[in-house]
Amino acid sequence: MADAAIAEREVPIEDPDFYVNNPWSTFAWMQQEKPFYFYEPLNMYCITRHRDIREIAVQADIFSNERGIFPSEIKFREQAGDANPSEGFWPKDGELLGYVDPPRHGELRRVATPAFSVDALAAVEGPIRAHIDKLLGGIVDGQTVEWWDLAAAVPIEAACNLIGLPATDRAKVQHWSDELEKLGADVSLEELQAAVADFASLQQYITDNVHRCKAERAAGGPSGTDLISVLLDAELDGGRVSMATVITYAMTAMAAGSDTTRALLLGIAHQFAEHPEQWELLRKDRSLVKNAIEEVLRWVTPARAFARFIKKDTVVNGQEMKAGQYVYQMYMAGNRDPEAFVNPDQFDITRKDASRHITFGAGPHICLGARLARMEGALMLNAMLDRFTRLELAGAPKRVHHIIRNSWDSLPIKFYT
């Protein structure tokens, strides 16, 4: 696939197979020969160089999120009467942080930030750590584990604690989180519309929990640091945050944090099973854990790319682009850009430039949950180091078949204590 793409100078941006069949030689060609590769079907420039992606990311006044961030949203706009069909996932009149540009974006981000503060995350760290200990505690020497199951469970636990959802509803949250992954997938407009219709139950579930939280507070209960409590206390536009926006925030936190963090946790096991020498290095020097998480984030890049709409004519590093066109920021390519990283195709937990990755984006839209994802990764990695002397692949991993998501559907790992 990749070699054919180079020969024909055609890059199948909308084909999930392209991303799982070694796209790296194609990305290298794009970076060297076509750093602003034009993908005509979507009137879109595909950006693969690290420096270009960062320059675009900080210019939210020119490169807008308001018309959607997935190729499917661009493709289906005409069929949907210039509306974004994905908007149906969220409550009507709810403001979606990732689809709002500055200055409104800053106002919306401000009201949610306290739920992601150091103190707020310290409050959820204990439950997450206990959950990880429980998950890993039953693994015995030489046991093969489907790591996907464990990697999926941790961000769901984190999301429930972060948002303020009951401990009894983990299975429900997992189901809805999995369904939300249809956003950005290679699906038809009809399939996307069907998924939207199915999500009325999720909106109702979040609504019920917001009302529960309100009732508990009215009865004298304390105000917490979870996202629902923070939003109920916040002021926006001279009043309280609307119910529709509170619900939208909660749904977004569930969607954005689950699959991406799961990919990070899967990547930890995958990379250290593939690179036992790196595992041994880490066992000898735990001070490398923080940098190891950054290197896994760079290597995996859970969200491959996001699109932006060009609001006015502009020039980026010599490339002219017109208002009405799109750019596609290909983070996974930028994270292997040799201009930005020394030996980018090498997994190296001692890499001095690992934290320069753009896995969480950059500029005003940088991921609000980045600190939480890093914390979950470090908690999991330290817990693994406490228990296991080595790990190895116990079968062929199965990659996710998706345009945006970069992860695994199955990852069998054998652990040795």
Side-chain angles (χ1 to χ4, degrees):
M1 173 69 71
D3 290 341
I6 289 177
E8 299 173 10
R9 298 298 191 261
E10 294 178 0
V11 183
I13 297 301
E14 298 180 84
D15 183 359
D17 288 337
F18 166 69
Y19 299 97
V20 298
N21 290 330
N22 188 22
W24 303 110
S25 54
T26 301
F27 288 149
W29 168 76
M30 294 170 75
Q31 287 165 344
Q32 294 167 12
E33 303 294 336
K34 294 287 184 180
F36 293 87
Y37 176 89
F38 187 66
Y39 183 66
E40 188 171 356
L42 296 181
N43 194 22
M44 182 171 72
Y45 290 95
C46 301
I47 317 299
T48 51
R49 290 192 307 201
H50 186 278
R51 62 188 175 100
D52 299 329
I53 293 170
R54 288 191 63 88
E55 183 165 338
I56 287 168
V58 300
Q59 299 183 70
D61 58 327
I62 297 175
F63 299 96
S64 169
N65 284 27
E66 290 183 346
R67 291 179 65 85
I69 59 177
F70 301 119
S72 58
E73 293 173 315
I74 300 171
K75 181 169 61 177
F76 295 143
R77 266 194 174 275
E78 185 175 345
Q79 299 178 49
D82 200 39
N84 184 346
S86 295
E87 291 176 359
F89 277 99
W90 320 105
K92 186 179 180 182
D93 300 326
E95 294 187 87
L96 188 58
L97 183 64
Y99 286 71
V100 178
D101 295 329
R104 184 59 173 176
H105 177 270
E107 297 168 356
L108 292 173
R109 192 177 179 103
R110 173 186 56 79
V111 300
T113 296
F116 297 87
S117 68
V118 173
D119 290 343
L121 294 188
V124 303
E125 180 177 346
I128 297 171
R129 186 191 304 274
H131 192 64
I132 290 173
D133 289 343
K134 182 179 179 181
L135 290 171
L136 299 187
I139 300 176
V140 299
D141 185 44
Q143 182 180 355
T144 295
V145 174
E146 175 48 75
W147 187 248
W148 189 97
D149 295 332
L150 281 70
V154 174
I156 294 301
E157 179 73 17
C160 288
N161 280 281
L162 176 81
I163 298 169
L165 302 176
T168 55
D169 290 342
R170 296 326 192 231
K172 289 181 181 178
V173 175
Q174 179 70 69
H175 168 73
W176 281 315
S177 175
D178 292 344
E179 287 297 299
L180 279 168
E181 290 166 18
K182 291 179 180 176
L183 280 169
D186 182 29
V187 297
S188 67
L189 176 59
E190 292 72 25
E191 288 172 316
L192 186 62
Q193 290 171 333
V196 166
D198 288 342
F199 267 76
S201 60
L202 173 57
Q203 290 190 30
Q204 187 59 53
Y205 169 76
I206 297 294
T207 302
D208 291 345
N209 276 284
V210 174
H211 286 310
R212 172 189 56 77
C213 184
K214 282 185 171 182
E216 290 173 353
R217 290 151 62 98
S223 177
T225 57
D226 59 88
L227 181 61
I228 291 176
S229 295
V230 163
L231 292 173
L232 290 177
D233 287 334
E235 290 190 5
L236 183 66
D237 303 327
R240 293 301 182 188
V241 180
S242 71
M243 175 67 78
T245 296
V246 172
I247 296 167
T248 300
Y249 268 111
M251 293 175 68
T252 305
M254 187 186 300
S258 178
D259 173 64
T260 51
T261 305
R262 180 170 70 218
L264 166 62
L265 301 182
L266 286 161
I268 288 172
H270 182 270
Q271 287 306 108
F272 285 113
E274 289 268 271
H275 300 279
E277 78 289 349
Q278 297 284 297
W279 179 255
E280 283 301 314
L281 187 60
L282 195 56
R283 289 185 68 215
K284 293 174 182 176
D285 185 1
R286 290 284 193 101
S287 70
L288 291 171
V289 165
K290 181 179 179 181
N291 203 64
I293 296 301
E294 300 302 320
E295 180 67 346
V296 175
L297 285 165
R298 182 190 75 88
W299 189 268
V300 175
T301 316
R304 292 187 174 113
F306 286 125
R308 286 190 176 187
F309 177 73
I310 304 173
K311 296 176 72 171
K312 58 184 179 181
D313 294 357
T314 190
V315 178
V316 174
N317 291 331
Q319 176 64 50
E320 295 182 0
M321 292 178 279
K322 300 294 185 182
Q325 296 180 314
Y326 289 85
V327 292
Y328 197 44
Q329 301 170 99
M330 305 190 76
Y331 302 131
M332 69 182 295
N335 278 342
R336 301 278 191 97
D337 184 351
E339 286 188 2
F341 301 97
V342 178
N343 297 322
D345 296 326
Q346 178 181 348
F347 179 75
D348 179 8
I349 64 171
T350 67
R351 175 182 299 280
K352 290 181 172 59
D353 52 13
S355 63
R356 293 192 66 220
H357 67 75
I358 45 177
T359 295
F360 294 119
H365 284 284
I366 193 168
C367 177
L368 186 59
R371 183 182 287 142
L372 175 61
R374 287 182 167 110
M375 184 181 78
E376 291 176 66
L379 288 173
M380 176 62 86
L381 184 51
N382 274 308
M384 293 167 67
L385 288 163
D386 288 342
R387 290 166 174 80
F388 309 118
T389 59
R390 65 188 177 95
L391 54 156
E392 61 185 36
L393 292 176
K398 181 182 178 183
R399 300 296 304 223
V400 168
H401 195 255
H402 201 276
I403 297 170
I404 301 297
R405 295 171 53 217
N406 193 30
S407 188
W408 294 262
D409 280 330
S410 176
L411 186 64
I413 299 289
K414 181 176 285 190
F415 291 91
Y416 297 91
T417 58

